[in-house]
Amino acid sequence: MGAREDLLAIPDEVLRSGRIGQAVLVFMDFQAAPKRWWTGFGDLDVGGHRWQGVGDLISISEISASYQVSAEQVTFEVAATPEMLALALAAKTRVRDRAVTIYLQMFALDGTVTVGGDSIQTGQPVGSPLALYAGTMQRMPWAAEGPDERRITIEAEGLFFRRNAPPRGRWSDAHQKGLYSLDRGFERLPLY
């Protein structure tokens, strides 16, 4: 079922109640350990997968909702535990050029729960997750300032961020002459 059909399948009484919420679901295809998490609390079973709730431990930069092709960058900021920081130091092969997808999940809100003085809304998922962003994870810079302040950032680039690169990355005269200065094999390539 497509996104349009999925939205049309939501009963009118749910939509007209005014008690609709939303949450973000993220799939990160880390090598050997893919992760699915969402911006709520507890586990969530939706879309045929189980999503781990992380609450406010991760923040996501702004995502534009335009209909144009772009190579937009999205960053995820993670509240780093010492274990996460150790993983970030050795994560280049696990993270670089791996897929990341961000979804929007709608909820029919049915109440609130008070946890530690904070009021948290509860609800049931409505429909399937709608894809908002697809890209690849790139760098994973980290910072540690003092004993209590640690931060990990995961940078993700849109699927089109390398679209202006030469085909296969090396089929250009300038690149070939950089490798072999006397090679003239690619001089006429732009003519073809």
Side-chain angles (χ1 to χ4, degrees), residues 79-160:
T81 63
E83 296 81 22
M84 286 290 292
L85 199 55
L87 285 172
L89 292 172
K92 186 174 181 178
T93 57
R94 284 197 234 169
V95 174
R96 190 138 183 109
D97 292 327
R98 304 294 295 181
V100 60
T101 308
I102 302 173
Y103 300 93
L104 175 72
Q105 177 64 52
M106 295 186 349
F107 287 87
L109 301 176
D110 56 15
T112 59
V113 175
T114 304
V115 177
D118 292 332
S119 181
I120 300 171
Q121 294 185 335
T122 60
Q124 297 300 316
V126 175
S128 298
L130 304 170
L132 291 178
Y133 176 85
T136 57
M137 294 180 280
Q138 296 302 314
R139 296 182 337 115
M140 195 169 176
W142 59 275
E145 300 166 8
D148 298 331
E149 176 99 18
R150 293 182 213 72
R151 183 176 60 250
I152 298 174
T153 304
I154 301 172
E155 297 173 356
E157 298 286 352
L159 295 177
F160 294 101

Side-chain angles (χ1 to χ4, degrees), residues 4-152:
R4 182 177 189 278
E5 293 82 13
D6 205 21
L7 289 173
L8 290 173
I10 299 172
D12 276 346
E13 54 272 5
V14 172
L15 292 174
R16 293 178 191 273
S17 71
R19 306 244 339 124
I20 295 287
Q22 64 184 13
V24 174
L25 284 66
V26 178
F27 169 66
M28 291 183 164
D29 188 26
F30 295 115
Q31 187 178 26
K35 290 287 184 188
R36 295 180 189 277
W37 52 267
W38 73 293
T39 55
F41 297 93
D43 288 344
L44 175 70
D45 292 318
V46 69
H49 301 286
R50 176 160 286 173
W51 305 81
Q52 178 186 4
V54 293
D56 56 357
L57 293 177
I58 294 180
S59 67
I60 303 172
S61 68
E62 186 175 311
I63 301 171
S64 81
S66 65
Y67 292 103
Q68 64 187 16
V69 175
S70 69
E72 177 181 338
Q73 182 183 48
V74 173
T75 57
F76 302 88
E77 192 166 308
V78 181
T81 63
E83 296 81 22
M84 286 290 292
L85 199 55
L87 285 172
L89 292 172
K92 186 174 181 178
T93 57
R94 284 197 234 169
V95 174
R96 190 138 183 109
D97 292 327
R98 304 294 295 181
V100 60
T101 308
I102 302 173
Y103 300 93
L104 175 72
Q105 177 64 52
M106 295 186 349
F107 287 87
L109 301 176
D110 56 15
T112 59
V113 175
T114 304
V115 177
D118 292 332
S119 181
I120 300 171
Q121 294 185 335
T122 60
Q124 297 300 316
V126 175
S128 298
L130 304 170
L132 291 178
Y133 176 85
T136 57
M137 294 180 280
Q138 296 302 314
R139 296 182 337 115
M140 195 169 176
W142 59 275
E145 300 166 8
D148 298 331
E149 176 99 18
R150 293 182 213 72
R151 183 176 60 250
I152 298 174

